[in-house]
Amino acid sequence: PRPAPSQKVAISSSDILAAGDGGRHPIFFPPHWRTRAIVRALLDQLKLHGVVLAWGLTAVIGVLIHLPALELVVWRTGMAAAALAVIAPLLGGSLRVPPRTALRLLATGVLIGGHWMFFFGAGKVSNATITVAGLPTTLIWCALLEWWWLGKRPRPYEIAIGLMMIPAVWLMLRFEFRHSLGFWFSIGAAVVGSVFAVINGRLAQRH
């Protein structure tokens, strides 16, 4: 039964997590619904931490592998393409696209290749810390590019993060000036990666 309007009801964190299911009040959800919501939230957190860990390890591995940045990108791209060619048919997918779409995807691939060139190049001329230092600015570049290309105004939190980035970048350049080239390579990786993200987002909507 629903509680009376004057009755106070305590809402737990699990109730809040389940608030998106079915458009009904979370208090009246069955317990197994709330459990599924908690599991989904935990899985999302694990995915987020996995992405952060993957970014950090990619920089470390790139520094440890004694190959020039260009060769490293070629090998990495080749292995990823081979894995995709094997996995896509197993999942029932197809890699066949019209020629015009293939050209667009190829151009987008050149962009992401440039991103990885900057990324691994930063590791070759500096260290793993500097390599990932410029990547958080991706949010700023994406917001500016979407505003310029798509007319989408930046969100308030994007502006706030961008303002916080300015003193962070200044401090990094001040105390790690000997690695300034690597830092600018890292910024370049963020800029090119942002261009790729915006274009790839539009391609994903169409295909």
Side-chain angles (χ1 to χ4, degrees), residues 19-39:
D21 288 331
R24 292 174 290 180
H25 199 286
I27 295 173
F28 308 106
F29 289 168
H32 65 278
W33 286 17
R34 293 197 294 268
T35 302
R36 282 201 298 253
I38 294 172
V39 170

Side-chain angles (χ1 to χ4, degrees), residues 133-202:
L135 294 182
T137 62
T138 301
L139 179 64
I140 306 171
W141 306 122
C142 280
L144 293 176
L145 287 171
E146 288 180 343
W147 190 8
W148 181 35
W149 282 351
L150 309 178
K152 182 179 177 182
R153 290 186 176 275
R155 301 176 181 88
Y157 73 86
E158 292 173 339
I159 297 175
I161 293 176
L163 293 175
M164 289 189 291
M165 284 292 175
I166 295 175
V169 170
W170 179 79
L171 286 173
M172 183 68 68
L173 285 175
R174 180 180 178 184
F175 292 103
E176 296 288 346
F177 189 75
R178 66 184 185 279
H179 294 310
S180 59
L181 180 59
F183 185 76
W184 289 117
F185 275 12
S186 179
I187 294 291
V191 173
V192 178
S194 301
V195 177
F196 164 79
V198 173
I199 296 177
N200 192 58
R202 300 194 68 179

Side-chain angles (χ1 to χ4, degrees), residues 101-139:
T101 302
L103 289 176
R104 290 176 179 174
L105 294 175
L106 182 61
T108 308
V110 171
L111 281 175
I112 196 62
H115 161 78
W116 288 114
M117 281 288 296
F118 276 117
F119 183 82
F120 289 122
K124 299 303 178 183
V125 300
S126 58
N127 54 46
T129 303
I130 299 298
T131 300
V132 298
L135 294 182
T137 62
T138 301
L139 179 64

Side-chain angles (χ1 to χ4, degrees), residues 9-114:
V9 179
I11 300 177
S12 65
S13 58
S14 61
D15 295 327
I16 297 173
L17 288 173
D21 288 331
R24 292 174 290 180
H25 199 286
I27 295 173
F28 308 106
F29 289 168
H32 65 278
W33 286 17
R34 293 197 294 268
T35 302
R36 282 201 298 253
I38 294 172
V39 170
R40 283 199 302 269
L42 291 176
L43 288 176
D44 288 340
Q45 289 291 330
L46 288 175
K47 290 176 185 178
L48 176 62
H49 285 77
V51 169
V52 174
L53 181 62
W55 272 108
L57 289 179
T58 301
V60 173
I61 294 172
V63 172
L64 294 177
I65 295 177
H66 298 291
L67 283 176
L70 178 59
E71 295 182 23
L72 194 56
V73 172
V74 170
W75 275 102
R76 186 182 187 278
T77 304
M79 289 188 291
L84 184 61
V86 173
I87 294 173
L90 294 177
L91 298 178
S94 175
L95 299 179
R96 293 183 180 180
V97 293
R100 188 173 181 179
T101 302
L103 289 176
R104 290 176 179 174
L105 294 175
L106 182 61
T108 308
V110 171
L111 281 175
I112 196 62

